[in-house]
Amino acid sequence: MLVQNKGNHSYTANDLTLVPGTNKVDEKEFEHFLTHPLMKHLNDIGEFVYDSEKTRPSAKDAIAMIEDAFDIDMLEELKGDEDRKTVLDAIDKRIEELKNPEK
């Protein structure tokens, strides 16, 4: 599942670290992460944005997460699971931005 850490800091709890931006994590690990009192509080105030693996985010939400991603390997992996043209275009655009930041 994708989890967007909207904060300016990495958060670690219960053997899971979320860096700022979009992270690809196992849903069970994330549920365990949220059992930590601080992470539950941060989640309650909207620090983390996510959809479960059982629900597919809207194209708009998926693109917002992609634009906040910094891991090229994760983005490449997402391409294999995606069939919406607008989302695929956003992934390609973000990969290009990360590979060629001077443009």
Side-chain angles (χ1 to χ4, degrees):
M1 74 185 287
L2 295 180
V3 177
Q4 184 181 23
N5 172 1
K6 296 177 77 175
N8 294 323
H9 307 284
S10 293
Y11 297 108
T12 301
N14 299 328
D15 299 321
L16 178 65
T17 299
L18 294 181
V19 298
T22 302
N23 301 262
K24 185 170 175 69
V25 300
D26 178 77
E27 188 166 1
K28 295 277 187 217
E29 289 179 8
F30 184 64
E31 288 172 2
H32 188 58
F33 173 86
L34 292 177
T35 63
H36 187 282
L38 175 59
M39 300 315 145
K40 180 184 180 323
H41 170 73
L42 292 171
N43 186 56
D44 291 345
I45 64 169
E47 193 81 356
F48 310 123
V49 177
Y50 54 91
D51 287 295
S52 75
E53 291 181 355
K54 297 170 186 79
T55 61
R56 185 178 190 186
S58 69
K60 180 181 176 183
D61 290 343
I63 290 169
M65 288 182 171
I66 289 162
E67 290 172 345
D68 198 28
F70 296 92
D71 184 341
I72 293 172
D73 292 335
M74 178 191 70
L75 290 167
E76 292 286 357
E77 186 178 328
L78 288 177
K79 283 175 65 172
D81 298 332
E82 188 56 61
D83 60 357
R84 296 172 286 185
K85 181 169 178 15
T86 55
V87 177
L88 289 169
D89 290 347
I91 292 170
D92 289 337
K93 179 182 177 193
R94 185 62 179 150
I95 290 171
E96 183 64 26
E97 290 170 350
L98 293 171
K99 286 183 176 181
N100 300 298
E102 61 277 347
K103 286 187 177 181

